[in-house]
Amino acid sequence: MEEINSIGSLGDILKTNSYPGRGIIIGASQSGTHAVVAYFIMGRSENSRNRIFVKDGDGIRTSAFEPSKLSDPTLVIYRAMRVLGNKTIVTNGDHTDTIYEGMDRQLTFEQALRIRDFEPDAPNYTPRISGIVHLCDSELNFNYALSIIKTDGGCPDSTNRFNFAYNNPCKGTGHFIHTYKHDGEPLPSFQGEPHFINICGDIDEFSNDVWNSLNEENKVSLYVRFIDIKSNTYEEKFVNKLRGD
């Protein structure tokens, strides 16, 4: 994998958007030895903000920080990441399980998602975003894909499905997709292709850059995983605003 110049700064993208919602970042580390996966959540309501990321087997899930304040677990409590062999799945909802179960039955990433639509949270109709990392057998090679399922122009009767596939990314580059274009009433869905971004530093530097670039009032939690491409082992970092880690 050769290095090339990135066409976008992840920090700049986040700093200029007070509410991108939930976001998935996948790419290659600056060293080229690790696949990078990051997922963050934001919130405007007390129910959405009352969350942290916790470990769940080889993956992670959302959990209520104060269970007594959880008014509705629907759409906010789910497994956000699961591992199936040499594949790491990350999403912004319970379709993590849909993908995992579908691929376990030999469906492709895209086929597994065909039974799901956007979230039923009118009038926002939040998109379902997903990502998958697939480590290949050959040395230092991997591929990944991103998906978004959303309404057609806000129409609840129409569903648009977009899939983006990337093979053997260059060192220090990746892609970023998020649920909302920006803040608003209702919240406008993400549009266009995932942002092509640079990925700089080790796991601590990268995590700090993402977390510090997110809107202070709205950010909730961040999870970052650096996966060793050769061994499929990983290091991880949790950042939870309410827990102070």
Side-chain angles (χ1 to χ4, degrees), residues 3-227:
E3 287 185 285
I4 63 171
N5 293 325
S6 169
I7 62 171
S9 164
L10 178 58
D12 289 345
I13 293 169
L14 292 173
K15 288 174 183 175
T16 57
N17 190 343
S18 64
Y19 201 68
R22 288 164 271 175
I24 295 173
I25 304 153
I26 302 180
S29 66
Q30 202 166 13
S31 65
T33 59
H34 292 76
V36 176
V37 184
Y39 177 54
F40 67 78
I41 57 175
M42 306 181 80
R44 300 190 301 179
S45 67
E46 181 182 46
N47 195 53
S48 291
R49 291 177 175 177
N50 178 37
R51 289 184 293 170
I52 57 175
F53 286 148
V54 297
K55 192 78 174 169
D56 184 57
D58 286 333
I60 65 166
R61 60 180 173 85
T62 61
S63 179
F65 181 67
E66 295 187 55
S68 62
K69 292 184 178 180
L70 181 64
S71 58
D72 182 4
T74 308
L75 303 179
V76 298
I77 302 299
Y78 53 87
R79 283 190 278 201
M81 181 179 289
R82 296 186 70 177
V83 176
L84 180 63
N86 60 355
K87 302 177 182 66
T88 300
I89 302 159
V90 58
T91 88
N92 70 323
D94 63 7
H95 51 299
T96 306
D97 297 331
T98 303
I99 298 169
Y100 181 96
E101 292 161 6
M103 297 191 76
D104 196 36
R105 301 194 306 271
Q106 306 305 309
L107 296 179
T108 66
F109 176 64
E110 295 81 4
Q111 287 170 336
L113 282 167
R114 290 295 298 179
I115 64 172
R116 302 307 301 267
D117 288 308
F118 46 82
E119 295 184 356
D121 60 339
N124 297 316
Y125 301 113
T126 298
R128 294 191 188 273
I129 56 174
S130 313
I132 187 165
V133 173
H134 178 206
L135 301 184
C136 304
D137 293 332
S138 54
E139 185 173 307
L140 292 185
N141 285 335
F142 75 99
N143 58 66
Y144 63 94
L146 292 165
S147 166
I148 183 167
I149 303 172
K150 62 180 187 174
T151 65
D152 187 359
C155 174
D157 297 321
S158 300
T159 303
N160 287 345
R161 303 172 186 274
F162 300 93
N163 297 288
F164 308 90
Y166 308 95
N167 294 316
N168 299 330
C170 294
K171 294 179 181 180
T173 69
H175 290 85
F176 167 44
I177 194 168
H178 45 98
T179 51
Y180 307 124
K181 186 177 180 181
H182 50 66
D183 205 349
E185 296 292 347
L187 288 160
S189 294
F190 177 89
Q191 294 180 350
E193 293 187 20
H195 304 283
F196 182 40
I197 51 113
N198 53 5
I199 294 177
C200 300
D202 59 18
I203 190 169
D204 290 322
E205 293 171 306
F206 178 72
S207 300
N208 289 337
D209 181 48
V210 175
W211 185 248
N212 293 332
S213 299
L214 291 169
N215 180 269
E216 182 64 32
E217 181 180 2
N218 295 322
K219 64 185 179 183
V220 174
S221 294
L222 166 69
Y223 176 81
V224 178
R225 176 173 292 197
F226 272 44
I227 308 169

